[in-house]
Amino acid sequence: MKRASLVIVLTLSLAAVAFAASQASASAPDRVSTVVTVINHGSGPMPAIARDDVIVHQDGKVRPVLSWEPLTGSHAGVDLAVLIDDSLSTNIALHWDSVKAFVRKLPPGSRVATVYGASGSADFAQHFTTDREEAMKALRLPRGEISEGASIYESLESLIKHWPNDHNRRVVLLISDGIDLTFGIAQSNPGLNTNLQNAINDAQRKDVTVDSIFASGASAISHNAY
């Protein structure tokens, strides 16, 4: 039997082909968990995929996969934090209906929080709730205020640090232009930006998947070359 071709990406996936994988190197026993999506490029149904069908490479070496669990049924739910950069243009509110439609399609048992990132903090407009309509009522216009020392990545880091330790798998939907004025517009890259690198490290440490959607910033920031 020919093995299915696999494309593995970090994603929020709500489909029945999402899996949670744990892996570790032979020399370092620390477990690393991640959410992956298997994409079927064929015309037929998705074939059954076992743990032994998955190969993980890191730094040119094959790492053992310790577990491979489909995120379906009782494991399908997510805790989704919609983190909105409060410095965005108010035009983003024209797309709130799309965000609401996406949230309504989350698997049963999911919880949603609505959070605004401003001045390096994560301000909960609505804490995690299974009432999706209540969470979406908390959506408002961004303030569109540019603060020179503000960092959306500090806000993301704050959100991750204060995330509840229980319940479902954890996902952030980050809506931002990705510009961090703390280190300068051109430095919004991992390795160059301490805030961004810290947020990445915290997300990996606490098993938080971050998906992002670009949205334009307010005022003159919306016209920058980056």
Side-chain angles (χ1 to χ4, degrees), residues 3 6 8 50-57 61-63 65:
R3 284 188 176 182
L6 303 185
I8 299 181
R51 185 184 68 180
D52 292 341
D53 295 324
V54 182
I55 300 175
V56 176
H57 292 269
K61 299 179 180 178
V62 176
R63 306 300 189 188
V65 178

Side-chain angles (χ1 to χ4, degrees), residues 7-205:
V7 178
I8 299 181
V9 294
L10 292 175
T11 181
L12 171 59
S13 180
L14 306 179
V17 293
F19 293 81
S22 296
Q23 73 237 29
S25 66
S27 59
D30 295 336
R31 295 170 64 98
V32 176
S33 298
T34 188
V35 176
V36 302
T37 293
V38 179
I39 301 173
N40 183 11
H41 291 290
S43 58
M46 175 67 70
I49 301 170
R51 185 184 68 180
D52 292 341
D53 295 324
V54 182
I55 300 175
V56 176
H57 292 269
Q58 182 184 26
D59 298 329
K61 299 179 180 178
V62 176
R63 306 300 189 188
V65 178
L66 303 180
S67 66
W68 178 249
E69 182 178 16
L71 296 176
T72 57
S74 61
H75 299 290
V78 300
D79 282 353
L80 173 67
V82 181
L83 176 58
I84 302 160
D85 191 333
D86 223 357
S87 69
L88 294 179
S89 167
T90 56
N91 289 336
I92 186 62
L94 297 174
H95 301 283
W96 283 168
D97 284 346
S98 296
V99 174
K100 293 176 182 178
F102 171 74
V103 167
R104 291 183 181 116
K105 293 180 180 179
L106 291 173
S110 298
R111 302 192 303 178
V112 184
T114 304
V115 191
Y116 285 84
S119 301
S121 64
D123 299 323
F124 280 79
Q126 172 60 57
H127 284 272
F128 286 103
T129 176
T130 55
D131 189 336
R132 302 171 197 187
E133 297 305 319
E134 193 68 22
M136 292 299 92
K137 285 180 183 178
L139 287 173
R140 58 165 173 78
L141 293 175
R143 302 190 192 282
E145 298 175 353
I146 305 299
S147 174
E148 189 170 344
S151 169
I152 185 59
Y153 303 120
E154 281 188 322
S155 297
L156 175 59
E157 186 180 3
S158 176
L159 170 62
I160 292 171
K161 283 184 175 180
H162 295 94
W163 201 296
N165 290 323
D166 56 356
H167 220 69
N168 300 318
R169 55 191 169 108
R170 292 166 281 194
V171 179
V172 175
L173 177 58
L174 173 61
I175 304 176
S176 174
D177 60 7
I179 295 174
D180 184 348
L181 296 181
T182 306
F183 292 90
I185 292 176
Q187 305 302 317
S188 296
N189 293 289
L192 299 176
N193 187 308
T194 304
N195 295 330
L196 174 55
Q197 190 61 58
N198 287 341
I200 292 172
N201 294 342
D202 285 345
Q204 292 176 336
R205 190 177 302 113

